[in-house]
Amino acid sequence: MGYGKDDIRLYSGSALIAGLLCNLLTNPLWMVRTRMQVEIFRNDTKGHFEQKYSHGMRSLYINMKDIADKEGFLSLYRGLPASCIGLLHPLVFFPIYEKQKIYYKKHFEPDADKLSTTFILASSVTSKFIASAVSYPHEVLRARKYYEIHDKNGNKENLGLVKLSRKIVQTEGPTALYSGFLANLSRVLPNTFLMFALYEHLCHLSGLNQD
């Protein structure tokens, strides 16, 4: 049995497959980026940072190879389970976004040949906020997994997601799972609106939004 154009299962399934493939391909890049951002906490000498990250685009390859050699190839995929939890984001975002577009078009602009920028703004920003609120803790968990956590004796800890979540809540409080949430919103909400406004406009010009 096929799916209709506005079937929520179609949006959810497409988002899930695309998100999973994206995570598999890009997890090593996120790993290196996070290590670069927190390197100062590991060694704050200027020479150490320049030695590792002053090679331009080659720094990415050098550090991926360094992690694989010292910690094992699978270490490049540390945090992947947390990233997969983040698949909740597109699963929530795209169905809500598409359903809002349909609702606004039907009830507010039934005679317009395309949805206005105002309703694209409302659809994209509302959907992004809800999806971010649901899935944001995975960002914190993923960053903690990328960064090597040590116990009081200096031994490396390798906590699972459940134990790591419990430790964060117990030691830092539940709100720690939303550390940086507002800063993240200030970045992603304008970006999402601009991206989808451009996308919808280009689809209209090319005729892709026509039945």
Side-chain angles (χ1 to χ4, degrees):
M1 183 175 66
Y3 297 120
K5 176 183 175 182
D6 298 325
D7 195 320
I8 193 171
R9 293 172 296 174
L10 178 63
Y11 302 139
S12 299
S14 300
L16 179 63
I17 294 172
L20 182 59
L21 291 175
C22 184
N23 283 338
L24 289 172
L25 291 172
T26 63
N27 197 82
L29 304 179
W30 284 96
M31 175 73 160
V32 173
R33 192 194 77 160
T34 303
R35 288 289 181 90
M36 290 179 69
Q37 291 174 330
V38 301
E39 190 67 31
I40 191 172
F41 299 114
R42 299 157 63 90
N43 189 326
D44 61 359
T45 61
K46 182 178 179 181
H48 171 78
F49 190 88
E50 289 183 346
Q51 181 182 3
K52 295 190 68 173
Y53 302 112
S54 63
H55 309 288
M57 290 298 295
R58 289 180 60 245
S59 295
L60 177 62
Y61 168 75
I62 291 172
N63 284 278
M64 288 176 63
K65 185 176 184 302
D66 183 61
I67 292 172
D69 290 344
K70 293 181 179 179
E71 305 174 37
F73 176 78
L74 292 180
S75 292
L76 291 171
Y77 286 88
R78 184 180 297 153
L80 181 60
S83 294
C84 288
I85 294 176
L87 293 177
L88 282 171
H89 192 284
L91 284 175
V92 172
F93 174 82
F94 284 106
I96 294 178
Y97 174 71
E98 293 295 337
K99 289 300 182 181
Q100 281 193 100
K101 281 173 47 186
I102 294 169
Y103 176 83
Y104 289 136
K105 184 70 171 63
K106 180 178 179 180
H107 292 88
F108 294 97
E109 298 180 329
D111 299 324
D113 58 349
K114 70 181 183 70
L115 197 63
S116 67
T117 302
T118 300
F119 289 115
I120 293 175
L121 171 64
S123 300
S124 59
V125 170
T126 303
S127 303
K128 192 67 173 180
F129 178 83
I130 295 173
S132 296
V134 170
S135 65
Y136 187 79
H138 95 277
E139 302 254 12
V140 175
L141 294 174
R142 181 177 62 184
R144 298 292 180 95
K145 293 293 290 184
Y146 288 159
Y147 182 64
E148 293 179 349
I149 302 175
H150 296 79
D151 60 22
K152 295 179 179 179
N153 299 319
N155 299 316
K156 186 187 302 183
E157 291 186 333
N158 188 21
L159 301 177
L161 291 180
V162 175
K163 290 184 178 180
L164 179 58
S165 301
R166 187 181 297 119
K167 180 179 180 179
I168 292 173
V169 171
Q170 291 175 346
T171 59
E172 304 173 46
T175 57
L177 292 173
Y178 283 86
S179 298
F181 180 62
L182 294 180
N184 181 68
L185 285 182
S186 69
R187 176 183 64 87
V188 299
L189 292 184
N191 177 73
T192 300
F193 163 62
L194 292 174
M195 179 174 63
F196 278 92
L198 179 61
Y199 166 77
E200 298 292 350
H201 183 64
L202 291 177
C203 284
H204 174 72
L205 292 178
S206 62
L208 292 178
N209 277 346
Q210 297 178 5
D211 295 330

